[in-house]
Amino acid sequence: MKIKRSWHEWTEHIRQPKNQEQVYSWSRIIQNLVFPPTCLLCGDQGEEKLDLCRNCRETLPYLGNTCRTCGLPLTQSDLPLCGTCLKEPPPFDRMICAFRYEEPIRHLIQSLKFRSRHANARLLGTLLAESFDTAPALPEVVIPVPLHPFRYRERRFNQALEIARVVSSQLSIRLDYATCHRIRPTNAQAQLHAEERRKNIREAFAISSPLAYRHIALLDDVVTTGATVSELATQFRQAGAARIDVWACARALP
Ligand SMILES: [Zn+2]
Ligand SMILES: [Zn+2]
């Protein structure tokens, strides 16, 4: 027997949270029919519903075997940690980055940030989520590194949040962008050396307490010296986080 639903019932039905995945897949099907996936790097047809073609995917600078704590490439592949982390571990527990901060990933991140290419966030988030196939324990929540309201008003979006939305949806992890705020405007980190970056970012964030989570992941688009995520991790540790992971699309190599 056919069940007929009125328009009202149907729209009510798709508004229910349990049907969010269904809505998402329908919207993806419609989107793929109207706008078939197109490679954001060369304009060819995308592969596997991704805005990336096979040839361009092969050029991506995957990081490969890295230190499980700081995310930098390992020289001795049989050790899980690098010498620096064995001697002096950073304030977070684990870093997972998908790529080296090199072309064409650099281009995707820069054009998302400075030319508002929002489709790049979808691609970068999907590629980052692919790195978690073998991750043993996923966190309760993903927290994007916040922008200061001044910067937010200027840029009108936070690239880390846009990437985090995609990762959160693909891995079915809660997204939280309300617990942590940037309370102090900071100079652009790009021009600063490691020590200057640490000073520049000190006490730049405020975290609402009590913290509702024990295991969190902080997400940023790029990790350069690690000064920002280290400062955030220190503050989240003080707020009661037991395990802190750091996720980033790209890792700049020293
Ligand atoms: Zn391509
Ligand atoms: Zn390390």
Side-chain angles (χ1 to χ4, degrees), residues 111-112 115-123 156-157 162:
S111 49
L112 165 65
R115 288 193 284 147
S116 309
R117 297 282 159 86
H118 291 268
N120 295 12
R122 195 172 66 219
L123 176 60
R156 297 183 176 273
F157 70 98
E162 297 313 309

Side-chain angles (χ1 to χ4, degrees), residues 67 69-71 81-82 85:
C67 167
T69 306
C70 71
L81 300 181
C82 72
C85 289

Side-chain angles (χ1 to χ4, degrees), residues 57-70:
R57 188 190 263 272
E58 282 169 9
T59 68
L60 297 182
Y62 286 96
L63 255 170
N65 192 28
T66 57
C67 167
R68 51 177 290 138
T69 306
C70 71

Side-chain angles (χ1 to χ4, degrees), residues 17 27 39 61 102 105-107 117 127 131 133 135 146-147 151 171-172 187 189 237 243 246 249:
S27 69
C39 179
E102 290 171 9
I105 291 295
R106 191 172 175 279
H107 164 78
R117 297 282 159 86
L127 293 171
S131 317
D133 279 356
L147 284 184
R151 185 65 57 82
L171 300 178
S172 303
N187 297 324
Q189 294 272 80
R237 191 75 78 191
R243 177 169 161 175
V246 174
C249 295

Side-chain angles (χ1 to χ4, degrees), residues 43-180:
D44 272 3
Q45 194 181 341
E47 207 189 28
E48 296 164 9
K49 298 177 187 159
L50 205 62
D51 291 327
L52 187 69
C53 73
R54 184 184 294 189
N55 287 342
C56 288
R57 188 190 263 272
E58 282 169 9
T59 68
L60 297 182
Y62 286 96
L63 255 170
N65 192 28
T66 57
C67 167
R68 51 177 290 138
T69 306
C70 71
L72 288 172
L74 285 170
T75 41
Q76 280 177 285
S77 59
D78 51 335
L79 292 176
L81 300 181
C82 72
T84 312
C85 289
L86 282 170
K87 271 187 262 163
E88 199 183 339
F92 44 83
D93 298 284
R94 185 163 193 201
M95 185 181 294
I96 297 177
C97 304
F99 301 103
R100 300 187 299 274
Y101 188 46
E102 290 171 9
E103 300 302 348
I105 291 295
R106 191 172 175 279
H107 164 78
L108 288 173
I109 292 174
Q110 296 262 321
S111 49
L112 165 65
K113 249 162 131 164
F114 303 114
R115 288 193 284 147
S116 309
R117 297 282 159 86
H118 291 268
N120 295 12
R122 195 172 66 219
L123 176 60
L124 289 164
T126 306
L127 293 171
L128 177 57
E130 282 180 2
S131 317
F132 297 92
D133 279 356
T134 54
L138 289 173
E140 294 152 67
V141 66
V142 54
I143 299 173
V145 172
L147 284 184
H148 189 271
F150 291 166
R151 185 65 57 82
Y152 190 88
R153 240 169 282 155
E154 196 179 274
R155 200 176 285 169
R156 297 183 176 273
F157 70 98
N158 173 0
Q159 73 282 353
L161 169 58
E162 297 313 309
I163 296 167
R165 283 187 208 282
V166 181
V167 175
S168 139
S169 148
Q170 299 214 351
L171 300 178
S172 303
I173 302 174
R174 183 174 176 172
L175 170 69
D176 182 327
Y177 49 90
T179 291
C180 178

Side-chain angles (χ1 to χ4, degrees), residues 199-254:
K199 277 188 195 155
N200 185 41
I201 204 74
R202 207 165 286 157
E203 292 171 4
F205 303 100
I207 294 162
S208 314
S209 62
L211 190 65
Y213 322 103
R214 290 188 54 74
H215 183 184
I216 65 166
L218 303 171
L219 188 147
D220 211 352
D221 50 342
V222 185
V223 169
T224 309
T225 62
T228 303
V229 288
S230 292
E231 173 64 20
L232 261 177
T234 305
Q235 288 196 234
F236 270 103
R237 191 75 78 191
Q238 284 163 2
R243 177 169 161 175
I244 302 165
D245 296 352
V246 174
W247 295 352
C249 295
R251 184 74 163 96
L253 303 187

